[in-house]
Amino acid sequence: MFSFPTFPSLTNTRADDLFEYYDKRGVVKNNTQETELGFYLDKNNSHDYLANTFRMLFSALVYNIVQVVKQSVSSLGKRDF
């Protein structure tokens, strides 16, 4: 299960800590939305369990391939000077 730190009061928390906290939440939410909407994981077009399972596994495979390509492309753009 995911665990996020809780902040008792906004007045006692540094702005950098708040930004890091909400940035992580935003990344998780964006990844979830991308998975659901982009790969149609909420659609079950068949009444057959095996067909739906295969479709979901295939979508998960495609999602992982897309993530690997994204990471490799983003690492190409970073250079150490």
Side-chain angles (χ1 to χ4, degrees):
M1 197 60 144
F2 294 107
S3 64
F4 292 105
T6 57
F7 295 105
S9 171
L10 293 177
T11 58
N12 298 339
T13 308
R14 291 182 0 189
D16 293 339
D17 294 336
L18 282 175
F19 179 79
E20 183 179 336
Y21 172 73
Y22 283 106
D23 187 45
K24 287 180 185 176
R25 286 185 62 202
V27 169
V28 169
K29 184 174 181 176
N30 288 342
N31 287 342
T32 303
Q33 284 181 343
E34 177 185 9
T35 304
E36 287 177 357
L37 300 176
F39 295 96
Y40 303 106
L41 290 181
D42 57 342
K43 305 278 187 212
N44 290 328
N45 296 333
S46 176
H47 295 286
D48 185 29
Y49 174 78
L50 288 177
N52 289 331
T53 302
F54 177 75
R55 185 183 180 290
M56 194 168 197
L57 288 174
F58 186 73
S59 294
L61 175 68
V62 171
Y63 175 76
N64 285 324
I65 291 171
V66 168
Q67 292 303 315
V68 167
V69 170
K70 278 184 179 181
Q71 288 178 356
S72 65
V73 168
S74 68
S75 67
L76 291 175
K78 296 178 184 176
R79 296 184 183 174
D80 295 327
F81 290 104

